[in-house]
Amino acid sequence: MGERANIGRTLHFANALLPGGWASDVRIGVADGVVSAIAADEPARPDDERHAIGLPGMSNLHSHAFQRGMAGLAESRGASDDSFWTWRETMYRFVDRIDPDQLQAIAALAYAEMLETGFTRVGEFHYLHHDPKGDAYADPACMSQAIMAAAAESGIALTHLPVFYAHGGFGGAAPSPAQRRFVHDLDGFAALLGAVRSAAAQLTDAIVGVAPHSLRAVTADQLRALAAMAGTAPIHIHIAEQRREVDDCLAWCGRRPVEWLLDEMPVDAGWCLVHATHMTPTEAVRLAASGAVAGLCPITEANLGDGIFAAAPFLAAGGRFGIGSDSNVMIDVTEELRWLEYGQRLAGQARNVWASAPGRSSGEDMFIGAVAGGAQALGVAAGLVVGGAADLFSVDAEHPSLAGKSLSTILDGLVFAGGRGAIDTVWCRGEKRVSGGRHHARDELAARYRRVLSALTA
Ligand code: ZN
């Protein structure tokens, strides 16, 4: 699906966002999927492939790909209070049925859609391990293999995060029957992790981390064992997404989830705390000081009615963050960033909360921060650097939303005004996967996705 012709070639951008800021007349050499050279203030040469505006690819630090298939299926009012917990029941009914081929079909379309909006690496927080009866597949990594196949088909880079899930509530409560496809003991999980690591070695540039699902689903001893299994690989955990989770944690141990984790575990730059929605200012400052990444998923957090992240104290303390498409109810880099800022504006009756200083652009500071934090969370180098992956995208300079913009306001035009309609070409590891905003395999992936959805919802 990729265009091999782009390997070993040079891309030229009239303007590109490099780690040091905007640069003009930027030539980027690409060889074997890696950036081999970057030079600014160099006019295009005849063989260069020319584009107007170049941006580093964005990491999607938190995805449950299969949930793309239930997008739009949980938006009718239920009999009782509609909440995250009723949404979760819909999700459990959906996952009762899905098989490895269906998972691959759904994930491949989701990943193609991610590429279309500028995501070039996905952190797949993968908990759907067992067959519908709850038994291990003959190959315990069968469902992970489906995720890897989907990543390979779409061309997105993968940080695979197999999830350890053992309990149905704080303090080691028994899991519910609806959770039977997720559950392991530590020995079973170690076997899965070994199989996943072997399989991932066959995939270009894949990274395997470890994901304790949440403090609801693991005990303290299990969490320590999982941190040891991860070694230097990324560790991701859902935390403090819902008020009920905070209340249950307080009832269990007298401390709040983020407070407990920072007290009890060696949380550092290798960790990603997904959501971390409900924090006191003290917790926010402590999380920032740990160097861990806050994995923010504003579209999903809005869709699920989770709440709003404590951005002001976290950012003031230098906290690191990235964005994730999580439930994949909508997949769109610019929409995630727009909601990141708009949530803060609505909650705080303030503007430009995410801008780091007077005169700074909200769109640019969010974009740069999310590129850096997302890459950190997924275990790769951030931005366009020599020796790093050639993961980048171009924006259509003729799009009306970019008219009249200077370099310092291009990203505001993209995030707040243009949206994904302004995204033109996307390369992952130097291979062009998206042209004119469309993934090269969109038609076939979408046709297969429609067939699978028909079967799953019949
Ligand atoms: Zn999640």
Side-chain angles (χ1 to χ4, degrees):
M1 283 180 285
E3 291 187 4
R4 292 271 159 196
N6 283 319
I7 290 181
R9 293 195 58 196
T10 300
L11 307 175
H12 181 276
F13 295 92
N15 295 289
L17 185 62
L18 302 179
W22 285 101
S24 298
D25 270 330
V26 178
R27 297 184 78 236
I28 298 179
V30 178
D32 296 327
V34 170
V35 174
S36 56
I38 301 178
D41 302 320
E42 291 234 358
R45 297 179 194 172
D47 288 345
D48 291 356
E49 181 178 334
R50 300 181 66 168
H51 296 270
I53 299 167
L55 293 166
M58 180 67 74
S59 288
N60 181 359
L61 58 63
H62 189 68
S63 161
H64 309 284
F66 79 85
Q67 292 179 13
R68 181 61 180 153
M70 55 175 286
L73 292 178
E75 309 299 334
S76 300
R77 189 163 177 163
S80 59
D81 264 5
D82 264 305
S83 68
F84 171 86
W85 309 100
T86 55
W87 173 88
R88 193 174 71 161
E89 291 308 312
T90 303
M91 186 265 284
Y92 284 171
R93 284 197 295 277
F94 194 80
V95 305
D96 273 352
R97 308 180 62 178
I98 191 166
D99 70 22
D101 288 344
Q102 291 168 329
L103 175 62
Q104 181 178 339
I106 294 171
L109 182 73
Y111 294 163
E113 293 179 319
M114 288 175 197
L115 283 161
E116 286 178 342
T117 84
F119 285 125
T120 50
R121 174 173 286 269
V122 60
E124 182 62 31
F125 195 104
H126 173 72
Y127 58 83
L128 197 49
H129 302 301
H130 305 314
D131 74 14
K133 289 182 181 158
D135 298 324
Y137 284 102
D139 172 359
C142 180
M143 294 295 262
S144 286
Q145 300 260 22
I147 291 294
M148 292 183 215
E153 268 189 297
S154 67
I156 202 165
L158 177 68
T159 294
H160 193 53
L161 300 157
V163 172
F164 178 81
Y165 201 116
H167 302 288
F170 285 93
S176 75
Q179 293 161 341
R180 66 193 178 282
R181 297 191 74 177
F182 317 156
V183 173
H184 281 103
D185 60 21
L186 282 171
D187 288 344
F189 185 76
L192 170 74
L193 192 59
V196 167
R197 284 172 171 160
S198 299
Q202 311 301 314
L203 199 64
T204 307
D205 216 11
I207 288 172
V208 177
V210 171
H213 179 272
S214 58
L215 297 184
R216 303 191 304 273
V218 304
T219 65
D221 287 344
Q222 288 168 337
L223 195 47
R224 287 188 192 94
L226 293 163
M229 279 187 214
T232 57
I235 304 176
H236 287 222
I237 185 169
H238 289 130
I239 196 155
E241 180 177 7
Q242 288 278 323
R243 284 196 188 281
R244 187 172 115 187
E245 180 189 335
V246 177
D247 294 343
D248 289 351
C249 190
L250 282 165
W252 167 60
C253 70
R255 284 175 283 174
R256 303 165 60 84
V258 172
E259 180 184 18
W260 184 92
L261 191 77
L262 293 172
D263 284 349
E264 299 293 333
M265 295 294 147
V267 175
D268 62 13
W271 287 64
C272 177
L273 276 61
V274 179
H275 304 302
T277 306
H278 296 286
M279 292 192 292
T280 63
T282 302
E283 287 177 295
V285 169
R286 287 186 65 199
L287 176 58
S290 76
V293 175
L296 308 178
C297 310
I299 294 174
T300 296
E301 289 155 7
N303 183 270
L304 295 179
D306 286 341
I308 293 184
F309 181 72
F314 184 74
L315 294 173
R320 304 174 195 183
F321 66 93
I323 54 170
S325 62
D326 193 1
S327 70
N328 295 308
V329 63
M330 171 178 279
I331 296 171
D332 190 329
V333 170
T334 59
E335 183 94 355
E336 295 289 358
L337 295 174
R338 193 158 52 244
W339 270 97
L340 200 59
E341 172 68 19
Y342 280 176
Q344 300 295 324
R345 292 189 187 189
L346 289 164
Q349 299 178 48
R351 300 188 74 247
N352 297 315
V353 174
W354 231 272
S356 59
R360 287 292 308 169
S361 141
S362 297
E364 188 170 314
D365 278 348
M366 286 192 292
F367 187 89
I368 290 171
V371 165
Q376 177 182 322
L378 298 189
V380 293
L384 292 167
V385 291
V386 173
D391 295 348
L392 65 164
F393 65 98
S394 75
V395 174
D396 174 13
E398 302 302 315
H399 194 278
S401 66
L402 300 188
K405 303 295 183 294
S406 63
L407 288 178
S408 64
T409 51
I410 281 177
L411 279 160
D412 291 327
L414 179 65
V415 168
F416 294 105
R420 61 181 294 177
I423 292 174
D424 183 25
T425 306
V426 184
W427 298 263
C428 188
R429 289 197 63 83
E431 293 207 34
K432 192 185 291 181
R433 299 295 185 174
V434 173
S435 299
R438 281 181 68 84
H439 191 278
H440 296 177
R442 167 171 268 280
D443 290 345
E444 66 193 72
L445 295 178
R448 188 177 65 178
Y449 176 87
R450 283 192 293 270
R451 287 196 299 276
V452 165
L453 261 286
S454 296
L456 278 172
T457 55

Coordinates of all heavy atoms in Angstrom, one line a residue, residues 62 64 125 238 241 274-275 326, ligand 1:
H62 N -3.3 6.6 23.4 CA -4.3 5.7 24.1 C -5.5 5.4 23.1 O -6.3 6.2 22.8 CB -4.8 6.4 25.3 CG -5.6 5.5 26.2 ND1 -5.1 4.4 26.9 CD2 -7.0 5.4 26.5 CE1 -6.0 3.8 27.6 NE2 -7.2 4.4 27.3
H64 N -8.4 2.1 22.2 CA -9.0 0.7 22.2 C -9.6 0.6 20.8 O -10.8 1.0 20.6 CB -10.0 0.6 23.3 CG -9.6 1.1 24.7 ND1 -8.7 0.3 25.4 CD2 -9.8 2.2 25.4 CE1 -8.5 1.0 26.6 NE2 -9.1 2.1 26.5
F125 N -3.9 0.0 23.8 CA -4.2 -0.4 25.2 C -5.1 -1.6 25.1 O -6.3 -1.4 25.0 CB -4.7 0.7 26.0 CG -4.7 0.6 27.5 CD1 -3.8 1.3 28.2 CD2 -5.7 -0.2 28.1 CE1 -3.9 1.3 29.6 CE2 -5.7 -0.2 29.5 CZ -4.8 0.5 30.3
H238 N -5.0 3.3 33.3 CA -6.1 4.2 33.5 C -6.2 4.6 34.9 O -6.1 3.8 35.8 CB -7.4 3.4 33.3 CG -7.7 3.0 31.9 ND1 -8.1 1.7 31.6 CD2 -7.8 3.7 30.7 CE1 -8.4 1.6 30.3 NE2 -8.2 2.8 29.7
E241 N -10.5 8.4 36.3 CA -11.3 8.8 35.2 C -12.7 9.3 35.6 O -13.3 10.2 35.1 CB -11.5 7.7 34.1 CG -12.3 8.1 32.9 CD -12.4 7.0 31.9 OE1 -11.9 5.9 32.1 OE2 -13.0 7.2 30.8
V274 N -3.3 7.5 32.2 CA -4.4 7.8 31.3 C -5.6 8.4 32.0 O -6.1 7.8 32.9 CB -4.8 6.6 30.5 CG1 -5.9 6.9 29.5 CG2 -3.5 6.0 29.8
H275 N -6.0 9.6 31.5 CA -7.1 10.4 32.0 C -6.6 11.3 33.2 O -6.5 12.5 33.0 CB -8.3 9.6 32.4 CG -8.9 8.8 31.4 ND1 -9.3 9.3 30.2 CD2 -9.0 7.4 31.3 CE1 -9.7 8.3 29.4 NE2 -9.6 7.1 30.0
D326 N -8.7 7.0 22.5 CA -9.4 6.2 23.5 C -10.5 5.3 22.9 O -10.3 4.3 22.2 CB -9.8 7.1 24.6 CG -10.3 6.3 25.9 OD1 -10.2 5.0 25.8 OD2 -10.7 6.9 26.9
Ligands
ZN1 ZN -9.1 3.7 27.9

